[in-house]
Short mmCIF file of all heavy atoms in Angstrom, two decimals:
data_model
loop_
_atom_site.label_atom_id
_atom_site.label_comp_id
_atom_site.label_asym_id
_atom_site.label_seq_id
_atom_site.Cartn_x
_atom_site.Cartn_y
_atom_site.Cartn_z
N LEU A 97 5.32 -1.17 -11.27
CA LEU A 97 5.23 -2.36 -10.49
C LEU A 97 6.30 -2.44 -9.45
O LEU A 97 6.19 -2.64 -8.22
CB LEU A 97 5.29 -3.56 -11.38
CG LEU A 97 3.97 -4.05 -12.13
CD1 LEU A 97 4.32 -5.16 -13.09
CD2 LEU A 97 3.00 -4.52 -11.04
N GLN A 98 7.60 -2.17 -9.93
CA GLN A 98 8.78 -2.21 -9.04
C GLN A 98 8.69 -1.17 -8.05
O GLN A 98 8.96 -1.41 -6.84
CB GLN A 98 10.07 -2.09 -9.86
CG GLN A 98 10.36 -3.27 -10.79
CD GLN A 98 10.90 -4.51 -10.11
OE1 GLN A 98 10.56 -4.76 -8.96
NE2 GLN A 98 11.79 -5.18 -10.85
N ALA A 99 8.23 0.04 -8.29
CA ALA A 99 8.10 1.16 -7.48
C ALA A 99 7.10 0.85 -6.39
O ALA A 99 7.30 1.05 -5.15
CB ALA A 99 7.65 2.41 -8.11
N MET A 100 5.95 0.23 -6.81
CA MET A 100 4.98 -0.20 -5.83
C MET A 100 5.50 -1.30 -4.88
O MET A 100 5.11 -1.34 -3.60
CB MET A 100 3.70 -0.67 -6.55
CG MET A 100 2.88 0.40 -7.29
SD MET A 100 1.57 -0.27 -8.15
CE MET A 100 0.30 0.14 -6.94
N GLY A 101 6.30 -2.08 -5.39
CA GLY A 101 6.85 -3.17 -4.50
C GLY A 101 7.81 -2.67 -3.50
O GLY A 101 7.74 -3.01 -2.32
N ARG A 102 8.60 -1.62 -3.93
CA ARG A 102 9.54 -0.98 -2.97
C ARG A 102 8.72 -0.21 -1.99
O ARG A 102 8.98 -0.37 -0.66
CB ARG A 102 10.48 0.01 -3.68
CG ARG A 102 11.68 -0.46 -4.40
CD ARG A 102 12.53 0.49 -4.82
NE ARG A 102 12.07 1.49 -5.87
CZ ARG A 102 12.10 1.21 -7.11
NH1 ARG A 102 12.57 0.11 -7.65
NH2 ARG A 102 11.46 2.07 -8.02
N ALA A 103 7.70 0.44 -2.36
CA ALA A 103 6.86 1.20 -1.33
C ALA A 103 6.13 0.17 -0.35
O ALA A 103 6.08 0.43 0.86
CB ALA A 103 5.78 1.98 -2.09
N SER A 104 5.62 -0.94 -0.86
CA SER A 104 4.91 -1.81 -0.01
C SER A 104 5.80 -2.64 0.92
O SER A 104 5.27 -3.11 1.90
CB SER A 104 4.02 -2.80 -0.82
OG SER A 104 4.77 -3.75 -1.50
N SER A 105 7.11 -2.67 0.67
CA SER A 105 7.92 -3.52 1.56
C SER A 105 7.94 -2.78 3.02
O SER A 105 8.13 -3.48 3.93
CB SER A 105 9.34 -3.48 1.05
OG SER A 105 9.94 -2.19 1.04
N ASN A 106 7.59 -1.50 3.02
CA ASN A 106 7.55 -0.89 4.44
C ASN A 106 6.52 -1.49 5.30
O ASN A 106 6.51 -1.43 6.51
CB ASN A 106 7.08 0.61 4.23
CG ASN A 106 8.10 1.40 3.54
OD1 ASN A 106 9.32 1.07 3.49
ND2 ASN A 106 7.69 2.62 2.93
N ALA A 107 5.52 -2.08 4.66
CA ALA A 107 4.40 -2.71 5.42
C ALA A 107 5.04 -3.76 6.40
O ALA A 107 4.61 -3.91 7.51
CB ALA A 107 3.46 -3.39 4.56
N PHE A 108 6.09 -4.47 6.05
CA PHE A 108 6.63 -5.54 6.79
C PHE A 108 7.45 -4.84 8.05
O PHE A 108 7.44 -5.34 9.17
CB PHE A 108 7.57 -6.51 6.07
CG PHE A 108 7.59 -7.78 6.89
CD1 PHE A 108 6.70 -8.78 6.79
CD2 PHE A 108 8.64 -8.00 7.79
CE1 PHE A 108 6.54 -9.96 7.61
CE2 PHE A 108 8.65 -9.15 8.58
CZ PHE A 108 7.74 -10.07 8.38
N ASP A 109 8.02 -3.65 7.72
CA ASP A 109 8.58 -3.00 8.78
C ASP A 109 7.56 -2.62 10.00
O ASP A 109 7.88 -2.58 11.17
CB ASP A 109 9.34 -1.76 8.44
CG ASP A 109 10.53 -2.11 7.50
OD1 ASP A 109 11.32 -2.97 7.97
OD2 ASP A 109 10.68 -1.53 6.44
N ARG A 110 6.38 -2.23 9.42
CA ARG A 110 5.32 -1.91 10.48
C ARG A 110 4.96 -3.18 11.26
O ARG A 110 4.73 -3.07 12.42
CB ARG A 110 4.13 -1.37 9.67
CG ARG A 110 3.20 -0.66 10.58
CD ARG A 110 2.25 0.27 9.83
NE ARG A 110 0.90 0.19 10.31
CZ ARG A 110 -0.14 0.59 9.67
NH1 ARG A 110 -0.05 0.99 8.50
NH2 ARG A 110 -1.34 0.53 10.25
N ILE A 111 4.92 -4.31 10.53
CA ILE A 111 4.56 -5.61 11.25
C ILE A 111 5.68 -5.83 12.32
O ILE A 111 5.34 -6.26 13.52
CB ILE A 111 4.43 -6.73 10.21
CG1 ILE A 111 3.27 -6.51 9.36
CG2 ILE A 111 4.33 -8.07 11.02
CD1 ILE A 111 3.13 -7.56 8.20
N LEU A 112 6.98 -5.58 12.03
CA LEU A 112 8.00 -5.81 13.03
C LEU A 112 7.81 -4.88 14.22
O LEU A 112 7.98 -5.32 15.35
CB LEU A 112 9.39 -5.49 12.39
CG LEU A 112 9.84 -6.51 11.28
CD1 LEU A 112 11.16 -6.02 10.65
CD2 LEU A 112 9.88 -7.91 11.80
N GLY A 113 7.38 -3.70 13.93
CA GLY A 113 7.09 -2.67 15.07
C GLY A 113 6.01 -3.21 15.94
O GLY A 113 6.12 -3.22 17.12
N LEU A 114 4.93 -3.78 15.33
CA LEU A 114 3.79 -4.26 16.12
C LEU A 114 4.22 -5.53 16.89
O LEU A 114 3.86 -5.68 18.07
CB LEU A 114 2.73 -4.68 15.19
CG LEU A 114 1.95 -3.38 14.44
CD1 LEU A 114 1.04 -3.94 13.32
CD2 LEU A 114 1.04 -2.78 15.55
N ALA A 115 5.17 -6.34 16.34
CA ALA A 115 5.60 -7.55 16.96
C ALA A 115 6.42 -7.19 18.21
O ALA A 115 6.44 -8.04 19.15
CB ALA A 115 6.33 -8.41 15.97
N SER A 116 7.12 -6.10 18.17
CA SER A 116 7.95 -5.81 19.31
C SER A 116 7.13 -5.65 20.65
O SER A 116 7.81 -5.68 21.69
CB SER A 116 8.80 -4.51 19.00
OG SER A 116 7.92 -3.39 18.96
N THR A 117 5.87 -5.37 20.53
CA THR A 117 5.07 -5.25 21.86
C THR A 117 4.05 -6.36 21.87
O THR A 117 3.20 -6.26 22.74
CB THR A 117 4.42 -3.93 21.81
OG1 THR A 117 3.65 -3.78 20.63
CG2 THR A 117 5.39 -2.76 21.95
N ARG A 118 4.08 -7.32 21.02
CA ARG A 118 3.15 -8.50 21.05
C ARG A 118 3.85 -9.80 20.93
O ARG A 118 4.21 -10.23 19.82
CB ARG A 118 2.11 -8.35 19.91
CG ARG A 118 1.28 -7.15 19.95
CD ARG A 118 0.45 -6.81 18.74
NE ARG A 118 -0.41 -5.63 18.81
CZ ARG A 118 0.10 -4.45 18.86
NH1 ARG A 118 1.40 -4.15 18.77
NH2 ARG A 118 -0.84 -3.47 19.02
N PRO A 119 4.19 -10.47 22.12
CA PRO A 119 5.00 -11.63 22.05
C PRO A 119 4.49 -12.80 21.08
O PRO A 119 5.41 -13.41 20.43
CB PRO A 119 4.97 -12.15 23.47
CG PRO A 119 4.67 -10.91 24.25
CD PRO A 119 3.83 -10.03 23.50
N SER A 120 3.18 -12.92 20.97
CA SER A 120 2.75 -14.05 20.11
C SER A 120 2.92 -13.64 18.62
O SER A 120 3.17 -14.63 17.76
CB SER A 120 1.27 -14.40 20.45
OG SER A 120 0.49 -13.33 19.99
N LEU A 121 2.90 -12.40 18.32
CA LEU A 121 3.21 -12.01 16.94
C LEU A 121 4.74 -12.20 16.68
O LEU A 121 5.17 -12.60 15.60
CB LEU A 121 2.70 -10.60 16.55
CG LEU A 121 3.02 -10.00 15.30
CD1 LEU A 121 2.47 -10.96 14.13
CD2 LEU A 121 2.37 -8.61 15.11
N GLN A 122 5.49 -11.84 17.65
CA GLN A 122 6.96 -12.01 17.59
C GLN A 122 7.24 -13.49 17.28
O GLN A 122 8.13 -13.79 16.44
CB GLN A 122 7.68 -11.48 18.79
CG GLN A 122 9.12 -11.47 18.83
CD GLN A 122 9.60 -10.27 17.90
OE1 GLN A 122 9.17 -9.16 17.93
NE2 GLN A 122 10.67 -10.70 17.07
N ALA A 123 6.56 -14.39 18.03
CA ALA A 123 6.81 -15.76 17.88
C ALA A 123 6.46 -16.25 16.46
O ALA A 123 7.13 -17.25 15.87
CB ALA A 123 6.03 -16.50 19.00
N ALA A 124 5.46 -15.57 15.92
CA ALA A 124 5.08 -16.02 14.56
C ALA A 124 6.05 -15.63 13.49
O ALA A 124 5.94 -16.20 12.34
CB ALA A 124 3.71 -15.26 14.27
N LEU A 125 7.13 -14.96 13.80
CA LEU A 125 8.11 -14.55 12.82
C LEU A 125 9.16 -15.64 12.80
O LEU A 125 10.13 -15.55 11.99
CB LEU A 125 8.82 -13.19 13.18
CG LEU A 125 7.84 -12.04 13.28
CD1 LEU A 125 8.64 -10.80 13.77
CD2 LEU A 125 7.17 -11.76 11.94
N ASP A 126 8.95 -16.68 13.54
CA ASP A 126 9.81 -17.91 13.48
C ASP A 126 8.91 -18.99 13.00
O ASP A 126 8.32 -19.72 13.79
CB ASP A 126 10.34 -18.21 14.87
CG ASP A 126 11.23 -19.39 14.86
OD1 ASP A 126 11.33 -20.13 13.87
OD2 ASP A 126 11.81 -19.66 15.92
N GLY A 127 8.70 -19.10 11.67
CA GLY A 127 7.73 -20.07 11.14
C GLY A 127 7.65 -19.85 9.65
O GLY A 127 8.62 -19.67 8.89
N VAL A 128 6.31 -19.85 9.17
CA VAL A 128 6.14 -19.67 7.71
C VAL A 128 5.20 -18.49 7.54
O VAL A 128 4.08 -18.54 8.08
CB VAL A 128 5.57 -20.95 7.02
CG1 VAL A 128 5.56 -20.77 5.47
CG2 VAL A 128 6.45 -22.19 7.38
N PHE A 129 5.63 -17.68 6.64
CA PHE A 129 4.76 -16.39 6.33
C PHE A 129 4.15 -16.53 4.91
O PHE A 129 4.76 -16.90 3.94
CB PHE A 129 5.73 -15.20 6.27
CG PHE A 129 5.17 -13.91 5.81
CD1 PHE A 129 3.92 -13.37 6.35
CD2 PHE A 129 5.83 -13.19 4.89
CE1 PHE A 129 3.41 -12.17 5.77
CE2 PHE A 129 5.37 -11.90 4.38
CZ PHE A 129 4.06 -11.47 4.86
N LEU A 130 2.81 -16.33 4.84
CA LEU A 130 2.18 -16.37 3.61
C LEU A 130 1.95 -14.87 3.18
O LEU A 130 1.26 -14.04 3.75
CB LEU A 130 0.76 -17.04 3.71
CG LEU A 130 -0.07 -16.92 2.53
CD1 LEU A 130 0.37 -17.73 1.30
CD2 LEU A 130 -1.59 -17.41 2.98
N ASP A 131 2.56 -14.52 1.93
CA ASP A 131 2.38 -13.20 1.37
C ASP A 131 1.41 -13.35 0.27
O ASP A 131 1.83 -13.76 -0.84
CB ASP A 131 3.78 -12.66 0.96
CG ASP A 131 3.63 -11.36 0.33
OD1 ASP A 131 2.64 -10.57 0.66
OD2 ASP A 131 4.56 -10.96 -0.53
N VAL A 132 0.18 -12.97 0.52
CA VAL A 132 -0.92 -13.06 -0.63
C VAL A 132 -0.72 -11.74 -1.44
O VAL A 132 -0.59 -10.68 -0.87
CB VAL A 132 -2.33 -13.16 0.07
CG1 VAL A 132 -3.30 -13.11 -1.09
CG2 VAL A 132 -2.41 -14.41 0.84
N GLY A 133 -0.81 -12.00 -2.75
CA GLY A 133 -0.68 -10.82 -3.61
C GLY A 133 0.77 -10.23 -3.59
O GLY A 133 0.95 -9.11 -3.37
N THR A 134 1.76 -11.18 -3.79
CA THR A 134 3.11 -10.69 -3.48
C THR A 134 3.57 -9.67 -4.50
O THR A 134 4.48 -8.94 -4.32
CB THR A 134 4.06 -11.98 -3.57
OG1 THR A 134 5.30 -11.61 -2.99
CG2 THR A 134 4.27 -12.51 -4.91
N GLY A 135 2.92 -9.54 -5.71
CA GLY A 135 3.40 -8.62 -6.69
C GLY A 135 4.80 -8.91 -7.07
O GLY A 135 5.10 -10.06 -7.52
N VAL A 136 5.55 -7.89 -7.03
CA VAL A 136 7.13 -8.08 -7.42
C VAL A 136 7.88 -8.57 -6.21
O VAL A 136 9.06 -8.68 -6.34
CB VAL A 136 7.73 -6.87 -8.08
CG1 VAL A 136 6.90 -6.30 -9.21
CG2 VAL A 136 7.77 -5.67 -7.03
N GLY A 137 7.26 -8.90 -5.11
CA GLY A 137 7.88 -9.58 -3.91
C GLY A 137 8.43 -8.51 -2.94
O GLY A 137 9.23 -8.88 -2.08
N GLY A 138 7.98 -7.32 -2.91
CA GLY A 138 8.56 -6.33 -1.97
C GLY A 138 8.36 -6.82 -0.60
O GLY A 138 9.30 -6.67 0.26
N VAL A 139 7.10 -7.19 -0.17
CA VAL A 139 6.90 -7.57 1.25
C VAL A 139 7.58 -8.82 1.60
O VAL A 139 8.29 -9.02 2.66
CB VAL A 139 5.33 -7.76 1.52
CG1 VAL A 139 5.10 -8.26 2.87
CG2 VAL A 139 4.62 -6.35 1.33
N ALA A 140 7.49 -9.78 0.65
CA ALA A 140 8.17 -11.05 0.86
C ALA A 140 9.68 -10.96 1.09
O ALA A 140 10.31 -11.59 2.03
CB ALA A 140 8.02 -11.98 -0.40
N LEU A 141 10.35 -10.09 0.23
CA LEU A 141 11.84 -9.95 0.37
C LEU A 141 12.17 -9.27 1.71
O LEU A 141 13.08 -9.68 2.40
CB LEU A 141 12.36 -9.12 -0.76
CG LEU A 141 12.56 -9.98 -2.04
CD1 LEU A 141 12.65 -9.08 -3.34
CD2 LEU A 141 13.82 -10.77 -1.95
N ARG A 142 11.34 -8.28 2.01
CA ARG A 142 11.72 -7.53 3.36
C ARG A 142 11.53 -8.55 4.54
O ARG A 142 12.26 -8.44 5.53
CB ARG A 142 10.70 -6.37 3.46
CG ARG A 142 11.10 -5.42 4.66
CD ARG A 142 12.31 -4.61 4.37
NE ARG A 142 12.73 -3.81 5.49
CZ ARG A 142 13.87 -3.78 5.94
NH1 ARG A 142 14.88 -4.20 5.30
NH2 ARG A 142 14.17 -3.08 7.07
N ALA A 143 10.43 -9.47 4.46
CA ALA A 143 10.17 -10.31 5.41
C ALA A 143 11.39 -11.27 5.62
O ALA A 143 11.98 -11.51 6.75
CB ALA A 143 8.99 -11.24 5.17
N ALA A 144 11.88 -11.82 4.41
CA ALA A 144 13.05 -12.77 4.52
C ALA A 144 14.27 -12.04 5.02
O ALA A 144 15.10 -12.68 5.77
CB ALA A 144 13.24 -13.45 3.14
N GLN A 145 14.46 -10.75 4.57
CA GLN A 145 15.65 -10.05 4.95
C GLN A 145 15.72 -9.77 6.46
O GLN A 145 16.79 -9.88 7.10
CB GLN A 145 15.65 -8.77 4.09
CG GLN A 145 16.79 -7.84 4.23
CD GLN A 145 16.54 -6.57 3.57
OE1 GLN A 145 15.46 -6.16 3.22
NE2 GLN A 145 17.60 -5.81 3.21
N THR A 146 14.55 -9.48 7.06
CA THR A 146 14.52 -8.94 8.47
C THR A 146 14.33 -10.19 9.45
O THR A 146 14.59 -10.06 10.60
CB THR A 146 13.41 -7.94 8.72
OG1 THR A 146 12.24 -8.44 8.20
CG2 THR A 146 13.71 -6.65 7.98
N CYS A 147 13.78 -11.28 8.96
CA CYS A 147 13.53 -12.46 9.92
C CYS A 147 14.27 -13.73 9.39
O CYS A 147 13.70 -14.44 8.64
CB CYS A 147 12.08 -12.66 9.88
SG CYS A 147 11.01 -11.30 10.43
N PRO A 148 15.50 -13.90 9.83
CA PRO A 148 16.26 -15.02 9.32
C PRO A 148 15.64 -16.41 9.62
O PRO A 148 15.95 -17.37 8.91
CB PRO A 148 17.61 -14.88 10.04
CG PRO A 148 17.49 -13.81 10.90
CD PRO A 148 16.14 -13.13 10.81
N GLU A 149 14.67 -16.45 10.55
CA GLU A 149 14.08 -17.83 10.87
C GLU A 149 12.80 -18.01 10.16
O GLU A 149 12.05 -18.99 10.40
CB GLU A 149 13.78 -17.91 12.31
CG GLU A 149 15.02 -17.70 13.29
CD GLU A 149 16.09 -18.64 12.92
OE1 GLU A 149 15.81 -19.78 12.60
OE2 GLU A 149 17.25 -18.15 12.94
N LEU A 150 12.34 -17.10 9.23
CA LEU A 150 11.09 -17.14 8.59
C LEU A 150 11.23 -17.76 7.18
O LEU A 150 12.10 -17.28 6.41
CB LEU A 150 10.50 -15.65 8.53
CG LEU A 150 9.07 -15.57 8.28
CD1 LEU A 150 8.15 -16.29 9.37
CD2 LEU A 150 8.58 -13.99 8.25
N ASP A 151 10.38 -18.72 6.81
CA ASP A 151 10.20 -19.04 5.32
C ASP A 151 9.03 -18.35 4.85
O ASP A 151 8.12 -18.03 5.53
CB ASP A 151 10.03 -20.56 5.28
CG ASP A 151 11.28 -21.39 5.52
OD1 ASP A 151 12.37 -20.93 5.06
OD2 ASP A 151 11.27 -22.39 6.31
N VAL A 152 9.11 -18.02 3.46
CA VAL A 152 7.99 -17.29 2.87
C VAL A 152 7.39 -18.03 1.76
O VAL A 152 8.09 -18.41 0.89
CB VAL A 152 8.50 -15.88 2.46
CG1 VAL A 152 7.51 -15.05 1.88
CG2 VAL A 152 9.31 -15.20 3.58
N ASP A 153 6.03 -18.12 1.79
CA ASP A 153 5.31 -18.57 0.56
C ASP A 153 4.72 -17.29 -0.01
O ASP A 153 3.90 -16.71 0.68
CB ASP A 153 4.21 -19.61 0.93
CG ASP A 153 4.67 -20.92 1.25
OD1 ASP A 153 5.89 -21.10 1.26
OD2 ASP A 153 3.81 -21.85 1.54
N ALA A 154 5.05 -17.04 -1.25
CA ALA A 154 4.54 -15.71 -1.84
C ALA A 154 3.74 -16.13 -3.13
O ALA A 154 4.18 -16.83 -4.02
CB ALA A 154 5.78 -14.88 -2.32
N ILE A 155 2.43 -15.77 -3.07
CA ILE A 155 1.55 -16.10 -4.12
C ILE A 155 0.87 -14.91 -4.88
O ILE A 155 0.71 -13.87 -4.18
CB ILE A 155 0.34 -17.05 -3.64
CG1 ILE A 155 -0.53 -16.32 -2.66
CG2 ILE A 155 1.02 -18.34 -2.99
CD1 ILE A 155 -1.77 -17.09 -2.27
N ASP A 156 0.59 -15.16 -6.15
CA ASP A 156 -0.07 -14.08 -6.87
C ASP A 156 -0.67 -14.67 -8.10
O ASP A 156 -0.30 -15.82 -8.46
CB ASP A 156 0.94 -12.92 -7.21
CG ASP A 156 0.23 -11.51 -7.40
OD1 ASP A 156 -0.51 -11.53 -8.37
OD2 ASP A 156 0.56 -10.67 -6.70
N ILE A 157 -1.51 -13.95 -8.78
CA ILE A 157 -2.19 -14.40 -9.91
C ILE A 157 -1.80 -13.55 -11.15
O ILE A 157 -2.21 -13.88 -12.26
CB ILE A 157 -3.76 -14.33 -9.87
CG1 ILE A 157 -4.23 -12.98 -9.31
CG2 ILE A 157 -4.29 -15.44 -8.98
CD1 ILE A 157 -5.73 -12.80 -9.27
N TRP A 158 -1.05 -12.49 -11.03
CA TRP A 158 -0.65 -11.65 -12.03
C TRP A 158 0.71 -11.97 -12.65
O TRP A 158 1.84 -11.61 -12.00
CB TRP A 158 -0.76 -10.22 -11.53
CG TRP A 158 -0.54 -9.13 -12.57
CD1 TRP A 158 0.35 -8.12 -12.49
CD2 TRP A 158 -1.26 -8.82 -13.79
NE1 TRP A 158 0.25 -7.22 -13.47
CE2 TRP A 158 -0.69 -7.74 -14.33
CE3 TRP A 158 -2.27 -9.60 -14.42
CZ2 TRP A 158 -1.21 -7.24 -15.54
CZ3 TRP A 158 -2.66 -9.15 -15.65
CH2 TRP A 158 -2.18 -7.88 -16.16
N GLU A 159 0.77 -12.61 -13.79
CA GLU A 159 2.06 -13.16 -14.35
C GLU A 159 3.08 -12.07 -14.54
O GLU A 159 4.17 -12.35 -14.20
CB GLU A 159 1.61 -13.90 -15.67
CG GLU A 159 2.72 -14.83 -16.21
CD GLU A 159 3.05 -15.96 -15.30
OE1 GLU A 159 2.23 -16.74 -14.78
OE2 GLU A 159 4.24 -16.04 -14.84
N PRO A 160 2.74 -10.95 -15.08
CA PRO A 160 3.83 -9.96 -15.29
C PRO A 160 4.59 -9.51 -13.91
O PRO A 160 5.69 -9.34 -14.00
CB PRO A 160 3.06 -8.64 -15.84
CG PRO A 160 1.78 -9.28 -16.45
CD PRO A 160 1.43 -10.41 -15.60
N ALA A 161 3.76 -9.42 -12.86
CA ALA A 161 4.35 -9.13 -11.51
C ALA A 161 5.15 -10.39 -11.02
O ALA A 161 6.29 -10.14 -10.60
CB ALA A 161 3.34 -8.84 -10.57
#
Side-chain angles (χ1 to χ4, degrees):
L97 279 169
Q98 294 283 32
M100 291 177 93
R102 278 191 297 275
S104 70
S105 67
N106 294 337
F108 203 83
D109 293 316
R110 194 163 143 201
I111 293 176
L112 293 177
L114 292 163
S116 68
T117 53
R118 291 164 181 79
S120 67
L121 180 54
Q122 188 67 44
L125 302 177
D126 180 351
V128 186
F129 170 50
L130 173 68
D131 178 24
V132 176
T134 195
V136 302
V139 174
L141 280 162
R142 188 73 186 139
Q145 190 186 15
T146 53
C147 301
E149 303 306 321
L150 197 62
D151 286 318
V152 182
D153 283 2
I155 64 168
D156 206 297
I157 48 176
W158 183 234
E159 196 60 58

